[in-house]
Amino acid sequence: MEHVPALDEDLKKTLGPATAKVLAEQLGLHTALDLLHHYPRRYAERGELTSLAELSDQIDEHVTVVAQVADARILTFNGGRGKRLEVTITDGSGRLQLVFFGAGVHKPHKDLLPGTRAMFAGKVGMFNRKLQLSHPAYEPLSQDASDRDAATAFANQLIPIYPACAKLESWKIAKCVDAVLPSAQDAVDPLPAALREGRGLVPLTEALSKIHRPGTKADIEDARQRLKWDEAFVLQVALARRRHADSQLPAVPRRPAPGGLLDAFDAKLPFTLTDGQQKVSKEIFDDLATEHPMHRLLQGEVGSGKTMVALRAMLAVVDSGGQAAMLAPTEVLAQQHHRSITEMMGELAEGGMLGGSDQGTKVVLLTGSMGMPARRQALLDLVTGEAGIVIGTHALIEDKVQFHDLGLVVVDEQHRFGVEQRDALRSKGKQPPHLLVMTATPIPRTVAMTVFGDLETSVLDQLPAGRSPIATHVVPSKDKPHFLARAWERVREEVEKGHQAYVVCPRIGDGEDDPKKKAAEDDGDKRPPLAVVEIAEQLTRGPLAGMSVEVLHGRMDPADKDDVMRRFAAGEVKVLVATTVIEVGVNVPNSTVMVIMDADRFGVSQLHQLRGRVGRGSAPGLCLLVSEMHEASPARARLAAVAATLDGFELSRIDLEQRREGDVLGQAQSGVRSSLRMLAVIEDEEVIAEAREEATRVVAEDPTLEALPGLRTALDALLDTEREQYLEKG
C-alpha cells in the first residue's frame, strides 16, 4: 500500500528536498496540511479556452493560461547568428505572443505546432507595447483517449490553476497536491457537527477533495462555501475567546464624581454635544463603570468630534481618582492634541498651578525630543499622580515611565501602532486599564468584525454643528492646464480673504527619497511623483509669489516641524506645502483650501482623510484633486468618486473593492491576512456576521472548547506565534 503522508509531515519526505525547498521558500508551504490549504486560484476547462483578454491587468505576474497555438515561426537576427522563436496563441478572447531565444528554440518549435492545445505558464511582460510571455513553461494537453466517452470526459475536466511562482508552475503544484491529497482523510474537522449540518455544509475531507479535484462546478461551490466558513468561524472563535477572557479580567470601575471635573468642563463648553457624541459617550461611560476593562473602537469621520468624546472619557477617569494616557502616532500629532486639549480645558488643565482651577488637573506632554528638565518634571507629575492626563508618543511606553494609577488608555489612529506597544502601555496599570482606540479611517463593518473583532465598536457619523461643507473638484492638469492655473488663483483669493491653504504632494524630494521606491514608481512613461520641495519652490517663484509658503515633511527635525506647525496654526504661514504628515489630526480652522498634487497616487480613504483638514471653521472648504491621468482611466474614476461624496463609509467600501484584500487586512494585522485564503472580507459579509454570532454562542457555552477538540486543534494552528501575539495583546 502506498505511503499516505501525515498532515504535519514535512514535505521533504513526500516530495523530495528540491521541490519542498521551493514550496517553503517561495510559497511558505512546509507540511502536507499547508499544501492542502493552498487552493486553486481558478479552474480552466480543457474544452473551453481561458481568457487572454484579462492579462493586461496582470503585468509582471505569473499566470497560467490554456490556449491553442495559432502559428509559430523562427526568426534570425545578428546576421543569422541569433535565433528567436515567436509563437502566437489564441483562446477566442485574445491573442498572446510567446518568445523563446537561443538554443532553447528547437524543442518548443517541435512541440508547439499550430492547432496544439496546451497550458502555458510564465511572467506577463510588455515588449513594443504588446503583451508577451518570455520563455514560458508549457504542458501540452494530449488527447490520447481511446473512445469518445473518455474523450468527452477529458474535454470537460476542470483543470485547477494554482497560485504559482517562477520555479514551480501550476501543473507541477497540482502533481504535488496529488501526492498529499490522500492525507486529507485525516484532517480534523473544526466545525461543530450541529453547526455544519444546520447550515448544510459538506464535511472538511470532502471539501478538500472537491476544491482540488472537482468533478463539476457545483463541487467547487460546495467546497468554497465550506472552507469560507472554516476560516470565518475559527477566526471569530479566537476573537470571541479573547472578548470572553477580557470580560473575566478585573478592572477598577471609573465613575465621574458629581460636581467634579467633568461637570465643570461640560458647564464651560460653548456648544452642545451632537446626539452622536452623547450616544457614544454614554456607551463609553457605561463600559468605564464596569469591573472589567473596556475595549472599544471609536470610529469617526475627520472632524466628527472624536477628541471631544475621548477627552470627556479621560476627565471621567480623572474624576474617579485615576489617570488617563493618550497615545499619538507622531510628535506633531501629540503636540497638536496637547495644545487643543489644554485650550479646550482652559484653567481646568492647570490643576495645582497659580491661576488654575481647584477642580483642575495637570495635562502633561511626553515625547522623545523633549529636553531633559521638562521630561523629568513630566515623569515626576505622572508617578505622583499630579498629572491626571498625559499625552505622548511611544515615549510613554518606555520602562522609565511610571503611573500613579493608570485607568484609561486612549490610542489614536490604531493602525499606526504595533501590538506590542499597546500591550506595553496596558501593563503599566495596577490592574488592566480601560482601552479606547480611535480611528478616523472609516472601516466597513465586516473589516471591523475581522480585524478589530476583539473590540466593541462605536461610530460617530454626524459632524458637529458649525462645520462647513467641503466642495471637491478634479483638476485635469494635462488635458486642461488652465484649470490648474485657476486652482492657484483660487488659493490666492482664499489667502487674500485672510484664510490659509494646504498643498499636498506624494514625495519629499530632498535628495534622500528612496531611489528603489522612486524607480518602482517611475515605471515606463510615468514620471516620478511630484515633490514637496520642488513644488514649494515653483509656487514661491510663480503663482504664489510674495506669499509666505513653507514646507512640512516627516524627515524634518522635530523642532523645525513643530515651529512650522506652530506658525501655521498662528496664521503667520499662509500656504503649507506638505506630505501626508498632515493627514492625521492637524487642526487649523482657518484653512479653507487644499490642493492635492498627483491625487491619483493616493488611496480613496487617504484622500478623504486629507480633505477633512479643511472647512473646520465657519468658512466653507474647497479641495482640488490635481491629476494628469486620462479621463477614462480607473484612477480618474476613483477621484470622481471622492469628489462625488463626503460619506467616508461609502468611500472606504469603494476603496476596499478596488484594492486587494491583503492590503486592507495587512495594513491592520498581518496575522489575519495570512489566515484567510478563501474568505473575502467585503464579499463575504454575511458569512462573517453569522460566524461571529455562532462563535459568540459556542464560546459562551464552552469557553475552553472542552467538547470540541477539532476546533481547539484548528485554533492552535491559527494561533501560531505571530497571530497569537496579535490576539493575545488585542
Side-chain angles (χ1 to χ4, degrees):
M1 188 179 141
E2 67 178 278
H3 166 71
V4 174
L7 287 169
D8 57 359
E9 192 172 286
D10 194 303
L11 290 170
K12 278 192 204 106
K13 281 190 182 173
T14 322
L15 306 174
T19 304
K21 186 174 183 228
V22 176
L23 286 169
E25 288 176 3
Q26 302 283 318
L27 299 169
L29 307 174
H30 303 274
T31 65
L33 189 62
D34 291 343
L35 188 49
L36 287 173
H37 286 304
H38 185 70
Y39 306 130
R41 180 180 279 159
R42 59 186 182 82
Y43 301 84
E45 290 181 64
R46 281 199 169 95
E48 155 206 311
L49 296 161
T50 51
S51 174
L52 293 178
E54 290 163 16
L55 291 187
S56 55
D57 297 339
Q58 301 188 45
I59 290 172
D60 281 345
E61 290 202 22
H62 285 279
V63 299
T64 304
V65 295
V66 175
Q68 191 161 334
V69 177
D71 66 66
R73 58 208 174 113
I74 289 187
L75 305 172
T76 57
F77 54 94
N78 272 358
R81 290 194 299 278
K83 286 188 176 172
R84 180 168 87 241
L85 169 65
E86 287 185 358
V87 179
T88 305
I89 59 172
T90 177
D91 68 354
S93 78
R95 295 165 85 79
L96 178 68
Q97 194 170 58
L98 317 177
V99 288
F100 301 85
F101 292 98
V105 302
H106 298 295
K107 187 171 186 328
H109 193 214
K110 203 166 75 208
D111 294 343
L112 301 176
L113 299 169
T116 305
R117 199 188 209 84
M119 281 199 282
F120 301 92
K123 191 174 177 182
V124 182
M126 273 295 238
F127 182 69
N128 279 345
R129 299 191 174 270
K130 278 192 180 160
L131 292 175
Q132 68 169 28
L133 297 185
S134 181
H135 275 281
Y138 58 87
E139 177 94 332
L141 297 174
S142 57
Q143 293 235 19
D144 54 1
S146 49
D147 60 75
R148 183 163 298 175
D149 291 349
T152 308
F154 178 90
N156 294 333
Q157 190 180 340
L158 292 161
I159 305 164
I161 307 290
Y162 288 93
C165 60
K167 294 182 179 174
L168 211 59
E169 294 86 16
S170 170
W171 53 86
K172 288 184 183 162
I173 294 174
K175 285 172 183 162
C176 297
V177 170
D178 283 338
V180 299
L181 205 51
S183 61
Q185 65 204 29
D186 301 326
V188 183
D189 200 323
L191 292 191
L195 187 160
R196 198 182 69 232
E197 285 152 17
R199 294 187 175 274
L201 299 167
V202 299
L204 179 59
T205 48
E206 190 182 321
L208 288 170
S209 169
K210 282 181 168 174
I211 200 77
H212 290 292
R213 299 296 171 261
T216 62
K217 287 181 179 171
D219 284 353
I220 300 170
E221 201 35 55
D222 285 352
R224 280 196 169 147
Q225 204 47 28
R226 162 63 217 240
L227 295 167
K228 279 178 180 184
W229 254 93
D230 276 17
E231 287 177 9
F233 182 69
V234 174
L235 180 60
Q236 291 301 336
V237 166
L239 293 165
R241 288 185 76 189
R242 178 79 192 99
R243 292 195 299 274
H244 184 269
D246 283 339
S247 72
Q248 308 302 304
L249 285 174
V252 179
R254 308 282 178 176
R255 296 183 185 87
L261 183 56
L262 179 63
D263 285 352
F265 175 75
D266 283 350
K268 66 193 275 306
L269 275 182
F271 52 82
T272 52
L273 297 174
T274 65
D275 294 348
Q277 284 174 317
Q278 288 177 352
K279 175 178 152 283
V280 169
S281 289
K282 184 182 182 313
E283 290 169 353
I284 292 171
F285 289 152
D286 288 350
D287 282 359
L288 288 173
T290 65
E291 296 182 352
H292 309 295
M294 163 172 82
H295 286 94
R296 192 165 279 282
L297 173 68
L298 172 57
Q299 285 184 253
E301 289 281 5
V302 169
S304 58
K306 290 185 302 301
T307 310
M308 172 61 70
V309 168
L311 175 56
R312 293 183 73 246
M314 293 197 284
L315 296 175
V317 169
V318 175
D319 255 354
S320 72
Q323 291 168 295
M326 182 185 252
L327 216 61
T330 63
E331 294 212 353
V332 168
L333 190 52
Q335 289 156 347
Q336 172 91 34
H337 275 316
H338 182 253
R339 244 196 319 269
S340 62
I341 282 173
T342 48
E343 277 167 19
M344 282 195 271
M345 287 175 65
E347 75 280 6
L348 295 173
E350 296 164 0
M353 300 194 292
L354 204 59
S357 160
D358 295 345
Q359 291 164 308
T361 186
K362 224 175 187 182
V363 179
V364 301
L365 176 70
L366 190 63
T367 63
S369 65
M370 275 168 80
M372 217 42 225
R375 188 177 171 74
R376 207 172 281 129
Q377 184 58 51
L379 291 171
L380 187 65
D381 289 341
L382 286 181
V383 76
T384 58
E386 190 81 7
I389 295 176
V390 58
I391 296 153
T393 54
H394 55 268
L396 279 178
I397 295 161
E398 291 166 14
D399 292 344
K400 289 198 235 18
V401 181
Q402 297 298 320
F403 290 85
H404 176 65
D405 178 16
L406 180 60
L408 170 67
V409 175
V410 178
V411 179
D412 193 10
E413 290 303 322
Q414 130 83 17
H415 59 270
R416 294 170 185 236
F417 273 99
V419 166
E420 291 75 13
Q421 292 160 314
R422 227 179 356 151
D423 192 47
L425 195 55
R426 272 171 50 173
S427 66
K428 288 186 178 288
K430 294 185 179 72
Q431 285 193 332
H434 298 279
L435 176 70
L436 180 65
V437 172
M438 300 197 297
T439 178
T441 310
I443 304 164
R445 177 168 157 260
T446 43
V447 178
M449 281 193 291
T450 311
V451 177
F452 301 107
D454 58 334
L455 302 171
E456 300 300 328
T457 305
S458 295
V459 178
L460 272 176
D461 50 12
Q462 59 184 131
L463 294 183
R467 283 301 299 266
S468 305
I470 305 168
T472 308
H473 303 285
V474 179
V475 178
S477 55
K478 206 170 189 173
D479 313 345
K480 300 179 180 169
H482 59 287
F483 275 36
L484 182 59
R486 176 72 188 119
W488 299 128
E489 279 172 23
R490 284 292 289 116
V491 171
R492 277 202 95 92
E493 287 163 14
E494 287 300 310
V495 172
E496 280 159 8
K497 280 186 207 161
H499 298 306
Q500 288 161 278
Y502 295 102
V503 178
V504 182
C505 303
R507 194 163 62 88
I508 296 173
D510 59 356
E512 286 185 44
D513 291 359
D514 178 358
K516 266 195 205 151
K517 190 174 168 200
K518 232 174 110 180
E521 285 176 324
D522 188 8
D523 52 65
D525 324 335
K526 233 176 171 187
R527 58 157 173 75
L530 294 171
V532 166
V533 178
E534 292 149 20
I535 291 290
E537 208 175 300
Q538 288 169 23
L539 293 175
T540 7
R541 284 205 314 263
L544 303 185
M547 289 186 170
S548 62
V549 176
E550 296 262 0
V551 301
L552 180 73
H553 58 73
R555 266 206 299 274
M556 285 163 65
D557 180 270
D560 294 345
K561 263 196 290 204
D562 193 41
D563 177 53
V564 171
M565 256 338 290
R566 192 185 48 70
R567 288 186 297 114
F568 186 64
E572 294 163 29
V573 173
K574 298 302 179 191
V575 180
L576 190 62
V577 185
T579 55
T580 53
V581 71
I582 61 145
E583 174 187 353
V584 176
V586 174
N587 183 23
V588 180
N590 191 39
S591 303
T592 54
V593 59
M594 175 179 284
V595 181
I596 302 178
M597 308 301 290
D598 278 348
D600 48 273
R601 293 182 187 254
F602 298 96
V604 168
S605 294
Q606 198 175 22
L607 289 169
H608 179 62
Q609 189 103 334
L610 285 164
R611 162 172 71 182
R613 300 286 130 226
V614 293
R616 297 173 78 88
S618 52
L622 172 66
C623 177
L624 302 173
L625 306 173
V626 179
S627 170
E628 289 189 353
M629 299 305 272
H630 189 271
E631 196 170 356
S633 65
R636 279 284 292 277
R638 271 207 326 268
L639 298 182
V642 175
T645 178
L646 289 169
D647 180 341
F649 284 92
E650 175 56 31
L651 288 172
S652 71
R653 204 173 178 93
I654 293 169
D655 198 13
L656 285 178
E657 281 162 1
Q658 292 185 341
R659 283 159 55 197
R660 296 192 171 171
E661 193 83 8
D663 297 346
V664 179
L665 297 175
Q667 200 186 18
Q669 305 292 355
S670 53
V672 176
R673 180 183 52 193
S674 49
S675 69
L676 301 186
R677 296 182 178 87
M678 190 60 79
L679 196 69
V681 173
I682 287 290
E683 291 159 29
D684 297 320
E685 181 164 350
E686 214 171 288
V687 175
I688 292 169
E690 289 173 12
R692 183 178 165 107
E693 273 173 38
E694 293 276 11
T696 307
R697 187 182 52 71
V698 164
V699 170
E701 287 169 12
D702 181 6
T704 59
L705 308 179
E706 207 56 48
L708 299 166
L711 180 53
R712 276 213 316 276
T713 307
L715 265 185
D716 292 343
L718 171 75
L719 303 185
D720 57 21
T721 46
E722 174 187 41
R723 285 162 261 181
E724 180 122 50
Q725 283 171 357
Y726 148 54
L727 289 163
E728 275 309 302
K729 297 179 180 175

